[in-house]
Amino acid sequence: MSPVYLNSKKLEANQNDSLFDFADSLSIRVPTSCGRTGECHECIVEVRKGSEALTAPTDEEKFLRGDYRLACQACVADPEADIDFAVLRRQPRILTTGTKRQTELNPAYVRVDDEVVYNGPEGPTVVDTYRGAIYGIAADLGTTTVVLNLVNLESGDIEYTASFENPQRFGGSDIMNRISYDGGSDSGELRAVMVSSINFEIGEMVRALKIRRRQIFEIVAVGNTTMRDLFFGIDVQSIGTRPYKSLIEDEFRESERATTALTKNAAELELRIHPKATVYGGPLIASHLGADTAADLLALGIEDQKEPIILVDVGTNTEVVIGNSERLLAASCPAGPAFEGGEVTYGMPGYDGAVEKVTIDSDGTANSKVIGEADPIGICGSGLIDLLAELRRTDLMDELGKFADGSSEYEFAATNELTLSRADISALAQAKAANYCGQAIVLREYGLPLEQFEKLYLAGGFANYVDETNAIDIGFIANMPIEKVEKVGNASLEGAVIMLLSTIKRDEIEKLTSTIEHVELETAPDFFDFFVEGCLFKPMAAE
């Protein structure tokens, strides 16, 4: 018998064993609600090696593309082959630090005597008897990672945090591919797996804290425009074609609605919390600039900010916002997944086994720090930025991304012989160039020199682990004095918590987002010149 690897853990394979059987043997919970018949489409796994050694995809799996299977349907056909697969519900690292803003409590759901009252747009409504606590969930629906905070709405305390890999990856690693997927014959599948995953995590929360689902009265969800609208069941096809706008944004611009924020009943969205609970989706800014960016700004207290600042929220789509409470300019940069595990041979998200830090000795030997102190199996975004900066510092690579010795790859981890290739560097250069263009063009449009900005805030889970100096050295972020660069962690999630705790702050950010000027990068006449410059591995020009 040859081994099967589940999340890099070795098992023995027997013919006709399902991939679900292997998950069971390691006590790894894979979501399912159909009794493993293939009907619920919840147990998606990624087959990283040996897909040809599995039984052919069944009719229940026709909605899947690429190397994705349902764990209950895929069985071992060739027990002599090596098979390596991963459950999509791998848990990323949860940020424990970041910006924390004091918020005066004014939630939508409050206790009045022995009743829970909803202060909605129609006025106060009694929704239930008070059962010992009132909870809400703040959800950051990232393209790569989803993070949930369970919040006590009476005290404002965060009582449970969960994170998981976005289960929609089978529809594509970036926004445009997911929009295309949702416009096809399997429309609705992306939303279904997200709702299923959130319901699964809610179940974990209530079991861990010994509370009841009926004590959760509201969910506040933020994410980029596509992620938010998919979650609410809104057609996202208009976001994928010019002028790349949500149907909700169009209705707002036509004065058909008062805000781009959304409110729906939780039961209508099939979320298993209190049946009379509501789900609030934070407001959009414009085009791909969504509720996650609005939440960032709320977390930073932008409505009170006098000195101009720069916000860069790094991700599959990077958002750039520049200005103060008087004037804000914003742009979205389609950076793609290269720094988050895609398009790079040994690229992976920040899980155990990922190289997260790299230094290179004078003899050209790389030293790596690995998450989880395990053997390296890949490299995550922070490690890639270190590696590129170190290759430049040691002159092993020029600013064009070519290796000085003319080779086609560089080995950064002897264990498992992990390498960075010229093709990898090309993908990283283009992803970096998208970030570069967003910052450089919006800075130019704003019209102030860099030295007049008070801070450059780096937001997002990936950015939290980046070495700021290395990021500046390769032109990943603007060439600001290092003492002005500040990491603010998952500011989107913090902003979602603020929206959950204060309807007053919701109103403020809804009004503010409607005034932000959207900079459409692709319409800049010299966009290509900026992009070419951004592909070079060198600091961004100060001017």
Side-chain angles (χ1 to χ4, degrees), residues 1-3 13 15 53 76-83:
M1 293 187 296
S2 288
Q15 191 166 4
V76 175
D78 179 5
E80 300 303 316
D82 285 355
I83 301 168

Short mmCIF file of all heavy atoms in Angstrom, two decimals, residues 1-3 13 15 53 76-83:
data_model
loop_
_atom_site.label_atom_id
_atom_site.label_comp_id
_atom_site.label_asym_id
_atom_site.label_seq_id
_atom_site.Cartn_x
_atom_site.Cartn_y
_atom_site.Cartn_z
N MET A 1 0.84 -1.21 0.00
CA MET A 1 0.00 0.00 0.00
C MET A 1 0.87 1.25 0.00
O MET A 1 1.88 1.32 0.70
CB MET A 1 -0.89 0.03 1.25
CG MET A 1 -1.95 -1.05 1.30
SD MET A 1 -3.07 -0.81 2.69
CE MET A 1 -1.93 -1.04 4.05
N SER A 2 0.50 2.24 -0.80
CA SER A 2 1.19 3.52 -0.80
C SER A 2 0.46 4.49 0.12
O SER A 2 -0.73 4.33 0.40
CB SER A 2 1.24 4.11 -2.22
OG SER A 2 2.15 3.38 -3.01
N PRO A 3 1.18 5.51 0.58
CA PRO A 3 0.54 6.42 1.53
C PRO A 3 -0.36 7.44 0.87
O PRO A 3 -0.21 7.78 -0.30
CB PRO A 3 1.73 7.11 2.20
CG PRO A 3 2.79 7.10 1.16
CD PRO A 3 2.60 5.83 0.39
N ALA A 13 -3.28 3.82 2.48
CA ALA A 13 -4.44 3.79 1.60
C ALA A 13 -4.89 2.37 1.30
O ALA A 13 -4.07 1.49 1.08
CB ALA A 13 -4.12 4.50 0.28
N GLN A 15 -7.83 0.36 -1.26
CA GLN A 15 -8.72 0.58 -2.40
C GLN A 15 -10.15 0.80 -1.92
O GLN A 15 -10.63 0.14 -1.00
CB GLN A 15 -8.66 -0.61 -3.36
CG GLN A 15 -9.36 -0.32 -4.69
CD GLN A 15 -9.01 -1.35 -5.75
OE1 GLN A 15 -8.31 -2.30 -5.48
NE2 GLN A 15 -9.48 -1.14 -6.96
N ALA A 53 -5.15 8.71 -9.48
CA ALA A 53 -5.28 7.46 -8.71
C ALA A 53 -6.63 7.38 -7.98
O ALA A 53 -6.87 6.44 -7.23
CB ALA A 53 -4.14 7.34 -7.70
N VAL A 76 -10.17 5.91 -3.45
CA VAL A 76 -8.88 5.42 -3.95
C VAL A 76 -9.14 4.31 -4.97
O VAL A 76 -9.76 3.29 -4.65
CB VAL A 76 -8.01 4.89 -2.80
CG1 VAL A 76 -6.73 4.26 -3.35
CG2 VAL A 76 -7.68 6.02 -1.83
N ALA A 77 -8.66 4.51 -6.20
CA ALA A 77 -8.76 3.49 -7.25
C ALA A 77 -7.46 2.71 -7.38
O ALA A 77 -7.47 1.52 -7.70
CB ALA A 77 -9.12 4.14 -8.58
N ASP A 78 -6.34 3.39 -7.13
CA ASP A 78 -5.02 2.75 -7.24
C ASP A 78 -4.30 2.87 -5.90
O ASP A 78 -3.69 3.89 -5.59
CB ASP A 78 -4.20 3.42 -8.34
CG ASP A 78 -2.82 2.81 -8.49
OD1 ASP A 78 -2.53 1.80 -7.78
OD2 ASP A 78 -2.02 3.32 -9.29
N PRO A 79 -4.36 1.83 -5.07
CA PRO A 79 -3.74 1.92 -3.74
C PRO A 79 -2.22 1.95 -3.76
O PRO A 79 -1.59 2.15 -2.72
CB PRO A 79 -4.25 0.65 -3.03
CG PRO A 79 -4.58 -0.29 -4.13
CD PRO A 79 -5.04 0.54 -5.29
N GLU A 80 -1.60 1.80 -4.95
CA GLU A 80 -0.14 1.83 -5.04
C GLU A 80 0.39 3.24 -5.31
O GLU A 80 1.59 3.49 -5.25
CB GLU A 80 0.35 0.89 -6.16
CG GLU A 80 -0.04 -0.57 -5.96
CD GLU A 80 0.46 -1.11 -4.63
OE1 GLU A 80 1.64 -0.83 -4.28
OE2 GLU A 80 -0.31 -1.78 -3.92
N ALA A 81 -0.50 4.18 -5.63
CA ALA A 81 -0.07 5.54 -5.98
C ALA A 81 -0.04 6.43 -4.74
O ALA A 81 -0.73 6.18 -3.75
CB ALA A 81 -1.02 6.12 -7.02
N ASP A 82 0.78 7.48 -4.80
CA ASP A 82 0.81 8.49 -3.75
C ASP A 82 -0.30 9.51 -4.01
O ASP A 82 -0.43 10.01 -5.13
CB ASP A 82 2.15 9.22 -3.72
CG ASP A 82 3.25 8.37 -3.10
OD1 ASP A 82 2.93 7.27 -2.64
OD2 ASP A 82 4.41 8.80 -3.12
N ILE A 83 -1.06 9.81 -2.99
CA ILE A 83 -2.13 10.79 -3.10
C ILE A 83 -1.94 11.82 -1.99
O ILE A 83 -1.70 11.47 -0.84
CB ILE A 83 -3.53 10.13 -2.95
CG1 ILE A 83 -3.73 9.06 -4.03
CG2 ILE A 83 -4.64 11.18 -3.02
CD1 ILE A 83 -4.94 8.18 -3.78
#
